[in-house]
Amino acid sequence: MNDNTNVSTSYNIALIGFGGVNRALANIIATDPEAFYHEMGFNLRIIAVSDMFLGSVYSPEGIDMALLIGLPAAQGACANLPNGKATADNEDIIKNSNADIVVEATVTNSVTGQPATSHCRWALSSGKHVSTTNKGPLAFAEKELIDLALNNNVGFEYEGVVMSGTPVLRFADKLLKGSNINRFAGIVNGTANYVLGLVEQGQSFADAITSAQQQGYAEADPSADIEGKDVMLKVIVLANRLWNANLTQDNVQCEGITGLTETMVKEAVAEGCHWKLIGKASKQDDGSIVASVSPEKLPIEHPLAGIGGAVNAITFTSGMLGDVTVSGPGAGRIETAYAILSDIIAIHQRKEG
């Protein structure tokens, strides 16, 4: 790891992927640097960006933030920046730049976990901290990457992968530690929840999905959200984190909301119920994990039934406390960028400690 600590602590950041989330992070960093340092106790300097569509730029002393914030979303746009070029340069930037922290925010590949898994592997192996919002590396190579981080004495943080800006992983790790969590069930896909809410209001599924895309909740290809694959990966990440399990996609029964109809959704409301896409897992007496993703018709008194819009919620069941429900934003660019910031804070506290 490169140590750029002078009078004040400063971290060099390389952004891999420059879509909505990393753009939002850049805006947070650039808005009021003095206030940021006063609040956080450290400075952040973006020294590299690499994006498959926009190209790449590497300036070891820091990229001009005004130019970066104003970068148009046009193919090869990085070529118009000083030291920029029209093509991505992920591997070289990750391995050979003077970055202290690599922020991996590329689109999740739910089939292979690539290229994000390689991005994390390269960074950790070269002694750089990693914050990722990408579920792929955790679902496909969590143990390997955690071991790499430990062996190279760097942080590997991924708070944003389950509930975006809501710190559910650290909540379970720190505030519920020792409570003997044996089950969780939750709404962990804001897109599916938002779509179901609009259908309840009378929209068709097609129109509701289009609205979710316009709001920035859904990708151009929304299949991972509506078919349940996104929830499945999050269930895997959370279960493995809670119970040090080896859950994979082969162990999780998965069904999305594509089997629901507008009529089914409206009839449920008339009955005083709500359809929700639920991801859940439980630890059995023999230590095995049972996990699934499926739509469930919940009665109004259920703690998850009233969760609306892009809000997410998870109910943890523990031997000592019973049910504890955590809810908060589960989608959105700013919200996910905040999760990255919380990862960087954790890396800083680890370093300072």
Side-chain angles (χ1 to χ4, degrees), residues 264-286:
M264 292 169 67
V265 173
K266 294 171 186 174
E267 286 178 347
V269 173
E271 297 168 5
C273 299
H274 297 281
W275 280 101
K276 299 293 181 183
L277 183 60
I278 302 296
K280 59 187 179 182
S282 58
K283 187 176 183 180
Q284 308 301 297
D285 291 340
D286 63 0

Side-chain angles (χ1 to χ4, degrees), residues 31-49:
T31 298
D32 191 340
E34 289 187 14
F36 185 96
Y37 178 77
H38 180 75
E39 176 83 12
M40 303 298 173
F42 56 83
N43 294 310
L44 297 178
R45 178 171 51 235
I46 297 175
I47 56 91
V49 170

